Amino acid sequence: MALPLGKSKRILQCLKSKICVVGLGKNSFWSGWFHHGCPSSMAPLAPTCRNPDAVLVNAATQFATRRFESTKAEKHVDSLCDAEGNQLLDFPGGKVAFTSEMRFIPESPMERAHCYRVLDDNGQPNMSNFVQVSKEVAVKMYATMLTLQVMDTIFYEAQRQGRISFYVTSIGEEAINVASAAALSIDDVIFPQYREPGVLLWRGFTLQEFANQCFGNKADYGKGRQMPIHYGSNKHNYVTVSSTVATQIPQAVGAAYSLKMDGKDACTVTYFGDGGSSTGDFHAALNFAAVMEAPVIFICRNNGWAISTPVSDQFRSDGVVVRGRGYGVRSIRVDGNDALAMYTAVHAARKMAITEHRPILIEALTYRAGHHSTSDDSSKYRPVSEIELWRMARDPVSRLRRWIESNDWWSGEAESELRSNVRKEVLDAIQVAERVEKPPIAEIFTDVYDAPPSNLCEQEKLLRETIRRYPQDYPPDVPAL
Amino acid sequence: MLGIVSRKVLGQSLGRIRPAVWALRNYSSAEKQMTVRDALNSALDEEMSADPKVFLMGEEVGEYQGAYKISKGLLEKYGPERVLDTPITEAGFTGIGVGAAYYGLKPVVEFMTFNFSMQAIDHIINSAAKSNYMSAGQISVPIVFRGPNGAAAGVGAQHSQCYAAWYGSCPGLKVLSPYSSEDARGLLKAAIRDPDPVIFLENELLYGESFPISAEVLDSSFCLPIGKAKIEREGRDVTITAFSKMVGFALKAADILAKDGISAEIINLRSIRPLDTPTINASVRKTNRLVTVEEGFPQHGVGAEICMAVVEESFGYLDAPVERIAGADVPMPYAANLERMAVPQIEDIVRAAKRACYRSTAMAATA
């Protein structure tokens, strides 16, 4: 009954070649099993088990064919036993040990999943095995986080003054934005929700480019098509922000699949909030990513609030991290306000995603210190004291600052200089953007399709004709050409 | 009738009895018969072979060879990386397909029927259709959504709706609906090669129908232009527009009308969006009468759009009010007699054409 391991290995090679699984696995099937063991998840079926059929059946569906598993089930096997001699049941999906004790798995664990953290509240590292970040990277991370904070404050004010119609701040989530971006490569494709401009900032999007999009002017890469904060840039590998919640999650999986088929040394990274994790798209995406073995990193910004819905009304699970296991996705909970912890976790996740072709879920715990958007006043549904606490005492930017100052990489002078420079730059960018012309009329009709169809060409002609005849009915600042 | 559509084109009736030797020559009127199913399968096969970025995903497309066997043999030929069996979540796999297209692959997403596409319609409209525009050309979505659309036989309300009008109203999408095997091959190839998202509305009952097909159509580079309708039959007295299965009905109606001395011009729309209004208008300016035929619900339907387009462009040429034939304004019933009453039949088309020609006839169906 028990085939020697060597023989089943040959059988597997045979199966692999029949199905022409190109580029997949090489030997990761075996290494995946033995190096990452996952003994706790498959307790009775340790690799030392003499029944190698168990190894075959329980492995990831490398072969994407269910033919072989079903014949395994039909094969007559005398007594399926685990290492302890307990009997195993042979159902589709793999062998399971049975128990005569009826026990429900509790709805919540004895203890919540632990949260990985490197820097304490005073910016002091509490352990030494985190990725050592160079002074250059650390200072750049800090400067970018500070820039994001200043930029957010000023743009928010600009909306209040009526200069832009809408804005979304990332106050309190600067570390998630910037530290995650710092740990990635420029080839990793970002699928953002809408609270991740820090990723773009890290990658080199300028303050002027941000301002142009918010003002929807001629220089906007989006040609004035979208509301403010819907940034997008191909050259920064940042997919245009889309207002629909969580639709980017399965899209990231599809793009990751393309990257895998191309054999690229890159992954996709997608961000979403605690609210976004309730959508059907989240479910389908994680499920598929695991089945398709797609190199994607899911970063959940669990900031406690989905507009006015607190997490206690959003889900009853222990946050989002525990759901990873529900889909067969490796996951970790991280202190989202700790830049070094974020950096280390994303760095490790990226490596696993690309070399092992697997999705990773990172739940970054944080707090949404600002309002949901300029259309929201969060003091209406949460105590101002709570907001103040997180803003002041638990600010991720200050925390990182304490660390870099303790390394003598930063000083009070550098701080005030950077602050005033950034402030000036943002104000300038806004002034410039405000004065740039709006996009030309032709842009109403382009990009609907790859090539403009005849009906749209006609409509454009008609529109121009109408404007020419009745200029008094059209705003003077819309260029006619 | 099942299977062969007879066409009164010179030489084709001879084609079926030509000896094998003749069939080897490259005459454009050479006579092969091909089912719509085989036409779609061969188009998919050839496009997947020509471009490694094309891949197929959907429920049952792989191991099961396709719920309607359209993707037969493709898993074996191209492997599980290019023919993906998906879990049951239209919203999920549509989102994944769109993401793959964002990155540069060319997915062909199959919906078991377009009724199930409603689960995915947010991704189709808000992600696929609008992305190129919203991103100002930075994100193109070369994706094809295909599957059976409209009524089949005895499948009830949730499996019988026609989505041509719904998708046809959305800018950013292209919407195609083939009738014959030539349409199926040419339009599917065009759809896969097109850089914009395309909705490809097939018809389950047409899958098994055979049509004559020329050597030119069988060539792997064959492609039909998107946005051009085909005049299936020329006529002088009334223009009848139709798409998908209704083209077959309209052609039969034309035969019946011919016996009464009414020469009907049958236009196979092929493309719902963009709609070939120039061809339709040119035809109406010739015949001065219009009947539109569709299986879908009447309100806000394809026929309503065609009628308006003709009124806008060719009002002065109309000699009679425009007639619109559509399915009944009810969810599709199951019982065979009720189902028959809920979709247009050949007699309805004949009656409408006669009304447009002022040959008085009752409005109500008597079938």
Side-chain angles (χ1 to χ4, degrees):
Chain A
M1 165 213 80
L3 297 170
L5 277 175
K7 187 162 177 206
S8 38
K9 197 170 189 167
R10 279 202 299 281
I11 292 174
L12 282 165
Q13 310 286 27
C14 222
L15 297 175
K16 267 194 202 179
S17 60
K18 277 194 172 36
I19 300 156
C20 40
V21 175
V22 175
L24 261 185
K26 299 178 183 70
N27 282 313
S28 68
F29 166 74
W30 292 103
S31 61
W33 179 257
F34 291 115
H35 293 162
H36 302 282
C38 326
S40 60
S41 53
M42 312 241 183
L45 296 168
T48 52
C49 170
R50 229 139 350 142
N51 183 356
D53 292 341
V55 174
L56 174 65
V57 170
N58 279 299
T61 51
Q62 184 99 354
F63 304 97
T65 170
R66 294 168 293 289
R67 274 185 275 203
F68 301 91
E69 284 177 24
S70 64
T71 55
K72 286 268 161 287
E74 285 154 17
K75 215 169 78 165
H76 175 69
V77 192
D78 294 329
S79 45
L80 307 163
C81 298
D82 67 0
E84 275 112 41
N86 297 324
Q87 198 178 344
L88 300 170
L89 298 176
D90 190 11
F91 281 112
K95 297 193 175 53
V96 285
F98 75 86
T99 169
S100 51
E101 186 192 332
M102 185 190 75
R103 202 182 345 129
F104 285 78
I105 299 172
E107 69 279 5
S108 36
M110 292 288 282
E111 213 186 341
R112 293 191 61 190
H114 293 172
C115 181
Y116 173 63
R117 172 194 245 219
V118 172
L119 293 176
D120 65 16
D121 286 334
N122 294 322
Q124 294 316 304
N126 55 15
M127 45 176 276
S128 56
N129 55 337
F130 56 93
V131 174
Q132 300 297 337
V133 170
S134 70
K135 169 183 175 183
E136 201 194 322
V137 172
V139 171
K140 185 181 173 194
M141 279 207 290
Y142 178 73
T144 311
M145 284 164 63
L146 183 59
T147 304
L148 177 57
Q149 215 177 52
V150 173
M151 177 181 111
D152 271 354
T153 315
I154 298 179
F155 273 114
Y156 186 89
E157 284 310 309
Q159 192 277 343
R160 284 287 177 257
Q161 294 165 11
R163 294 161 88 181
I164 52 175
S165 65
F166 177 77
Y167 193 73
V168 167
T169 62
S170 309
I171 311 280
E173 300 183 44
E174 296 88 351
I176 296 178
N177 269 233
V178 174
S180 63
L184 298 169
S185 94
I186 187 66
D187 293 324
D188 300 321
V189 189
I190 307 293
F191 284 79
Q193 177 77 68
Y194 46 60
R195 221 180 285 282
E196 302 90 15
V199 178
L200 252 187
L201 199 51
W202 174 269
R203 289 188 167 187
F205 211 61
T206 65
L207 294 170
Q208 191 63 62
E209 286 168 323
F210 280 112
N212 289 338
Q213 197 284 327
C214 287
F215 281 89
N217 63 30
K218 198 166 69 169
D220 168 25
Y221 295 153
K223 296 183 194 168
R225 302 268 170 72
Q226 292 222 65
M227 290 169 67
I229 70 97
H230 287 68
Y231 316 110
S233 172
N234 271 3
K235 70 174 189 258
H236 298 97
N237 254 335
Y238 189 93
V239 173
T240 308
V241 172
S242 165
S243 310
T244 44
V245 173
T247 50
Q248 72 278 7
I249 315 180
Q251 288 164 8
V253 177
Y257 188 75
S258 316
L259 283 174
K260 185 171 89 159
M261 277 175 68
D262 276 352
K264 281 239 164 94
D265 175 23
C267 62
T268 62
V269 182
T270 181
Y271 300 80
F272 50 92
D274 37 288
S277 77
S278 295
T279 61
D281 273 338
F282 169 86
H283 161 78
L286 262 75
N287 191 35
F288 264 91
V291 171
M292 286 162 82
E293 297 174 4
V296 52
I297 304 178
F298 300 106
I299 299 183
C300 176
R301 294 177 291 96
N302 183 346
N303 61 20
W305 294 93
I307 311 189
S308 67
T309 307
V311 287
S312 53
D313 285 344
Q314 192 68 247
F315 40 65
R316 287 301 161 89
S317 52
D318 170 20
V320 175
V321 66
V322 289
R323 301 199 201 158
R325 173 166 274 186
Y327 296 106
V329 173
R330 192 171 292 172
S331 29
I332 187 172
R333 169 173 278 164
V334 179
D335 178 350
N337 290 356
D338 178 345
L340 293 187
M342 278 302 301
Y343 185 92
T344 306
V346 172
H347 188 266
R350 179 179 188 274
K351 201 143 168 225
M352 286 189 272
I354 297 174
T355 56
E356 295 174 44
H357 293 134
R358 61 167 64 249
I360 306 286
L361 170 65
I362 297 178
E363 180 187 25
L365 295 183
T366 180
Y367 187 84
R368 193 194 76 209
H371 305 303
H372 167 71
S373 71
T374 48
S375 311
D376 174 47
D377 174 10
S378 58
S379 64
K380 294 250 151 62
Y381 50 80
R382 57 185 186 175
V384 176
S385 54
E386 181 184 298
I387 306 173
E388 283 309 304
L389 170 71
W390 282 92
R391 250 206 160 154
M392 298 299 147
R394 305 200 183 157
D395 177 29
V397 181
S398 318
R399 202 152 135 203
L400 184 63
R401 180 181 168 182
R402 285 181 214 117
W403 185 64
I404 55 174
E405 278 183 342
S406 74
N407 286 347
D408 283 327
W409 292 343
W410 198 250
S411 66
E413 293 83 48
E415 175 81 12
S416 11
E417 195 187 327
L418 181 63
R419 273 191 189 268
S420 71
N421 283 348
V422 172
R423 192 181 154 72
K424 180 174 184 312
E425 234 185 284
V426 175
L427 288 170
D428 283 348
I430 289 180
Q431 284 196 347
V432 169
E434 217 167 13
R435 279 189 244 111
V436 173
E437 272 188 330
K438 296 299 183 213
I441 288 186
E443 302 295 9
I444 298 176
F445 302 102
T446 54
D447 304 319
V448 181
Y449 296 101
D450 188 63
S454 57
N455 67 319
L456 287 185
C457 293
E458 252 187 69
Q459 285 180 31
E460 191 188 334
K461 261 192 2 231
L462 279 172
L463 177 60
R464 287 184 196 286
E465 187 48 49
T466 313
I467 295 176
R468 200 179 357 255
R469 268 200 237 166
Y470 308 105
Q472 69 276 12
D473 291 343
Y474 291 88
D477 67 342
V478 174
L481 285 167
Chain B
M1 166 261 158
L2 292 161
I4 317 287
V5 173
S6 66
R7 305 270 231 89
K8 292 197 172 70
V9 179
L10 201 67
Q12 292 201 353
S13 46
L14 293 173
R16 277 187 283 278
I17 51 171
R18 275 189 196 173
V21 172
W22 284 59
L24 291 172
R25 297 208 197 174
N26 213 2
Y27 286 120
S28 55
S29 57
E31 276 323 284
K32 220 184 158 230
Q33 292 276 335
M34 190 183 235
T35 60
V36 171
R37 175 178 287 116
D38 288 339
L40 294 167
N41 183 274
S42 61
L44 281 171
D45 192 352
E46 286 160 25
E47 292 304 303
M48 286 178 77
S49 169
D51 186 350
K53 295 198 168 299
V54 177
F55 75 101
L56 191 53
M57 60 191 296
E59 292 154 8
E60 313 299 326
V61 296
E63 295 276 351
Y64 196 74
Q65 310 295 319
Y68 298 99
K69 305 293 182 258
I70 306 296
S71 51
K72 186 168 180 185
L74 296 178
L75 173 64
E76 242 159 23
K77 189 166 176 186
Y78 296 101
E81 279 198 328
R82 293 185 67 196
V83 180
L84 268 68
D85 272 326
T86 61
I88 306 178
T89 158
E90 278 72 10
F93 66 71
T94 304
I96 285 173
V98 171
Y102 281 3
Y103 191 70
L105 288 188
K106 294 191 179 176
V108 177
V109 176
E110 174 173 311
F111 291 118
M112 207 179 281
T113 89
F114 265 93
N115 295 273
F116 307 160
S117 75
M118 288 198 285
Q119 301 244 325
I121 205 165
D122 177 68
H123 271 294
I124 298 174
I125 308 291
N126 280 328
S127 299
K130 299 179 184 172
S131 277
N132 198 49
Y133 190 73
M134 293 194 307
S135 71
Q138 292 188 85
I139 301 177
S140 88
V141 194
I143 195 170
V144 176
F145 300 102
R146 51 160 292 273
N149 175 59
V155 289
Q158 295 171 332
H159 294 84
S160 305
Q161 187 164 338
C162 173
Y163 289 87
W166 282 33
Y167 289 120
S169 73
C170 187
L173 289 179
K174 290 183 175 160
V175 182
L176 302 174
S177 192
Y179 160 63
S180 62
S181 302
E182 176 182 330
D183 289 355
R185 263 183 69 81
L187 293 176
L188 185 54
K189 279 164 165 296
I192 293 174
R193 297 176 198 176
D194 197 285
D196 295 311
V198 181
I199 303 282
F200 196 80
L201 304 170
E202 301 160 3
N203 185 292
E204 191 200 322
L205 297 177
L206 284 177
Y207 284 152
E209 268 198 44
S210 267
F211 293 85
I213 199 159
S214 70
E216 186 202 342
V217 176
L218 285 170
D219 186 72
S220 64
S221 62
F222 177 68
C223 203
L224 283 173
I226 292 181
K228 288 295 297 159
K230 180 183 181 194
I231 301 193
E232 293 282 347
R233 176 182 176 133
E234 290 202 8
R236 291 176 321 271
D237 297 327
V238 60
T239 299
I240 303 181
T241 66
F243 59 96
S244 187
K245 185 147 150 284
M246 290 292 120
V247 177
F249 280 27
L251 287 168
K252 296 223 176 63
D255 288 340
I256 297 173
L257 288 165
K259 295 202 189 82
D260 280 328
I262 299 178
S263 149
E265 177 148 294
I266 309 297
I267 300 185
N268 171 6
L269 292 176
R270 281 182 167 174
S271 178
I272 308 292
R273 175 179 263 272
L275 200 52
D276 191 357
T277 44
T279 300
I280 299 169
N281 275 294
S283 173
V284 171
R285 288 177 182 212
K286 183 175 72 167
T287 65
N288 312 122
R289 293 159 211 279
L290 175 65
V291 174
T292 69
V293 185
E294 69 196 290
E295 259 190 340
F297 300 135
Q299 189 168 343
H300 309 303
V302 174
E305 174 61 30
I306 295 176
C307 291
M308 193 53 211
V310 166
V311 164
E312 275 175 344
E313 295 285 321
S314 313
F315 180 68
Y317 291 82
L318 285 170
D319 285 349
V322 175
E323 289 270 354
R324 162 178 69 165
I325 303 290
D329 200 17
V330 300
M332 184 70 72
Y334 165 74
N337 62 327
L338 299 180
E339 187 182 41
R340 195 176 185 284
M341 304 278 299
V343 282
Q345 301 298 331
I346 298 171
E347 302 76 47
D348 296 306
I349 305 174
V350 170
R351 269 195 295 272
K354 285 188 176 169
R355 280 196 301 273
C357 296
Y358 292 114
R359 311 283 186 89
S360 68
T361 185
M363 283 283 281
T366 50

